[in-house]
Amino acid sequence: GAVVSQHPSWVICKSGTSVKIECRSLDFQATTMFWYRQFPKQSLMLMATSNEGSKATYEQGVEKDKFLINHASLTLSTLTVTSAHPEDSSFYICSKSRGGHNEQFFGPGTRLTVL
Amino acid sequence: AQSVTQPDIHITVSEGASLELRCNYSYGATPYLFWYVQSPGQGLQLLLKYFSGDTLVQGIKGFEAEFKRSQSSFNLRKPSVHWSDAAEYFCAVGAGNAGNMLTFGGGTRLMVKP
């Protein structure tokens, strides 16, 4: 299957700091990548769709100024959680798509803990 | 808009027993359907997918699923469960739009008794 990497796999930060999470497509170019958030024992919630060379499309209720997404190349999308607070602690997962059948390939996730 | 329901939040089966995880979707046309598995602290791994054609699809790890249009269902099955199958299972539906977005069900946590 297609390969997606995320870095870091886990991060602990202090409240008020910013954290950047990288999502890389290792095998094919991805013009579209997705960012999800998952709370413990819950399903994935789509935060935003990241489009190479253009602005991300955010889902309703997701603060675009807090969750900055940059998709500057066809193999890299980044999510920056700005001024993180404890309620931002979660598991963040990225994915990429290929073809026209909505098939997505997921990264291993990043565990963010804000103290 | 499409939606997905996984009626069972938790399921416990004995090792070697058969398994069926339920998934119901809501969408006006033929959807693209997926089952993913997630181990604790990991990303999602695709088990199988349905786009069109044969309604019984085979996946990895011995799993299969059957698309039943009349019941708006895409249930996941395995004839004999192994302890390593304990995980969270997610059903997802895609509407075939250009955005390639997926809508996920709430997930079913599978526990396997020895």
Side-chain angles (χ1 to χ4, degrees), chain A residues 32 34 36 38 40-46 49 59 91 93 97-109 111, chain B residues 10 32 34 36 38 41-46 49 51 88 90 93-97 99-102 104-107 109:
Chain A
T32 302
F34 303 89
Y36 294 85
Q38 185 181 31
K41 300 184 179 181
Q42 294 189 24
S43 188
L44 281 74
M45 297 299 295
L46 179 65
T49 302
E59 294 301 298
F91 194 56
I93 306 176
S97 63
R98 180 173 61 183
H101 296 106
N102 301 86
E103 185 172 2
Q104 292 184 21
F105 306 91
F106 289 83
R111 172 75 57 195
Chain B
H10 294 99
Y32 301 131
F34 306 84
Y36 289 90
Q38 183 182 34
Q42 302 294 316
L44 275 67
Q45 181 183 22
L46 179 67
K49 59 192 176 188
F51 295 157
E88 187 85 20
F90 293 98
V93 61
N97 55 31
N100 268 337
M101 293 171 59
L102 290 176
F104 284 87
R109 180 168 297 276

Side-chain angles (χ1 to χ4, degrees), chain B:
Chain B
Q2 63 270 26
S3 65
V4 182
T5 301
Q6 293 179 246
D8 305 304
I9 297 175
H10 294 99
I11 282 185
T12 300
V13 299
S14 297
E15 190 168 17
S18 63
L19 171 69
E20 182 170 34
L21 302 183
R22 296 184 291 166
C23 172
N24 294 98
Y25 68 89
S26 173
Y27 182 59
T30 300
Y32 301 131
L33 295 162
F34 306 84
W35 274 100
Y36 289 90
V37 61
Q38 183 182 34
S39 297
Q42 302 294 316
L44 275 67
Q45 181 183 22
L46 179 67
L47 286 176
L48 46 78
K49 59 192 176 188
Y50 172 79
F51 295 157
S52 65
D54 193 346
T55 56
L56 183 64
V57 294
Q58 302 296 322
I60 62 171
K61 303 184 180 185
F63 286 93
E64 67 177 26
E66 186 171 11
F67 170 57
K68 293 186 177 180
R69 183 191 304 275
S70 61
Q71 299 178 19
S72 297
S73 69
F74 189 58
N75 294 348
L76 181 72
R77 300 192 294 251
K78 186 170 184 177
S80 179
V81 170
H82 188 263
W83 64 266
S84 60
D85 293 324
E88 187 85 20
Y89 291 80
F90 293 98
C91 181
V93 61
N97 55 31
N100 268 337
M101 293 171 59
L102 290 176
T103 299
F104 284 87
T108 298
R109 180 168 297 276
L110 173 65
M111 292 172 280
V112 181
K113 293 189 298 183

Side-chain angles (χ1 to χ4, degrees), chain A residues 7-19:
Chain A
H7 178 80
S9 56
W10 59 270
V11 56
I12 301 173
C13 69
K14 294 182 178 180
S15 185
T17 61
S18 294
V19 174

Side-chain angles (χ1 to χ4, degrees), chain A residues 6-11 19-22 35 90-94 107-113, chain B residues 41:
Chain A
Q6 283 185 239
H7 178 80
S9 56
W10 59 270
V11 56
V19 174
K20 179 184 286 188
I21 302 170
E22 294 184 346
W35 286 96
S90 189
F91 194 56
Y92 293 87
I93 306 176
C94 71
T110 297
R111 172 75 57 195
L112 170 62
T113 301

